[in-house]
Amino acid sequence: MKLKAELMDESAVQRALTRISHEIIEKNKGTENLAFLGIKTRGVPLAKIIVEKIENIEGVKLPFNELDINHYRDDLTEAHIIPEVTDYPIDFDVTGKDIILVDDVLYTGRTVRAAIEAIFSLGRPSSIQLAILVDRGHRELPLRADYVGKNVPTATTEFISVLLPETDGCTSVKLYSL
């Protein structure tokens, strides 16, 4: 892969996450019924940042867990891969909650579909809202994000990489071409 551009540096990522945090508070008229789920892998640290920002703004503690969607993905059976089911217990009841689902990149929508299926296996939330750092287009399913850090129209031959300290040692968003 060839690096085409750095789309967001650490400051730009932090600004986008701060804006998303404020938008979540505004849209939900506070934090009363909110709970956060970060899609494993890079959605987890992004969700933690958003939760911390909202907790600092509102002075409240918010429910947060990571969500492993491997068991719910529709592309693993095609490759004859049997996902290892890891149990990440959710320490709050999703029923009746306004769930904020967080991930790094929205592309076809299949990851989000799997996450929604995983959430409904845990209970029936009041609503599910989607927060995404980068929306690159090319949806295969009728899904859209409620909160977007940056919209980046891409070609199908391009790839967006979100780098975070927990997984990559730095913070940035880069665009690559094949």
Side-chain angles (χ1 to χ4, degrees), residues 87-107:
D87 186 23
Y88 291 99
I90 304 297
D91 60 6
F92 58 86
D93 185 4
V94 301
T95 301
K97 293 284 189 192
D98 293 310
I99 301 295
I100 309 296
L101 184 62
V102 182
D103 204 9
D104 58 346
V105 178
L106 180 57
Y107 181 36

Side-chain angles (χ1 to χ4, degrees), residues 147-166:
Y147 314 100
V148 179
K150 187 173 186 72
N151 286 293
V152 181
T154 62
T156 56
T157 57
E158 294 175 322
F159 178 77
I160 300 247
S161 179
V162 174
L163 305 172
L164 298 169
E166 295 81 354

Side-chain angles (χ1 to χ4, degrees), residues 28-148:
N28 291 282
K29 297 177 175 68
T31 60
E32 185 176 329
N33 202 40
L34 297 182
F36 289 77
L37 292 171
I39 297 175
K40 218 178 142 205
T41 296
R42 285 176 178 79
V44 173
L46 292 172
K48 283 181 184 176
I49 294 167
I50 292 170
V51 166
E52 287 172 5
K53 288 180 182 292
I54 292 173
E55 287 177 348
N56 288 336
I57 295 165
E58 294 290 303
V60 297
K61 182 80 173 139
L62 296 168
F64 164 78
N65 265 106
E66 61 185 71
L67 184 65
D68 186 350
I69 62 160
N70 279 333
H71 183 67
Y72 299 92
R73 291 182 48 168
D74 63 1
D75 59 343
L76 297 180
T77 55
E78 293 174 5
H80 304 293
I81 298 169
I82 299 171
E84 179 182 327
V85 178
T86 48
D87 186 23
Y88 291 99
I90 304 297
D91 60 6
F92 58 86
D93 185 4
V94 301
T95 301
K97 293 284 189 192
D98 293 310
I99 301 295
I100 309 296
L101 184 62
V102 182
D103 204 9
D104 58 346
V105 178
L106 180 57
Y107 181 36
T108 64
R110 294 191 178 277
T111 297
V112 174
R113 183 218 47 89
I116 291 170
E117 191 174 327
I119 292 167
F120 277 112
S121 75
L122 299 168
R124 184 172 170 85
S126 180
S127 70
I128 300 174
Q129 300 167 38
L130 180 60
I132 294 290
L133 183 59
V134 179
D135 185 343
R136 64 169 288 195
H138 303 285
R139 221 71 77 238
E140 294 175 1
L141 300 171
L143 297 168
R144 67 170 182 76
D146 299 279
Y147 314 100
V148 179

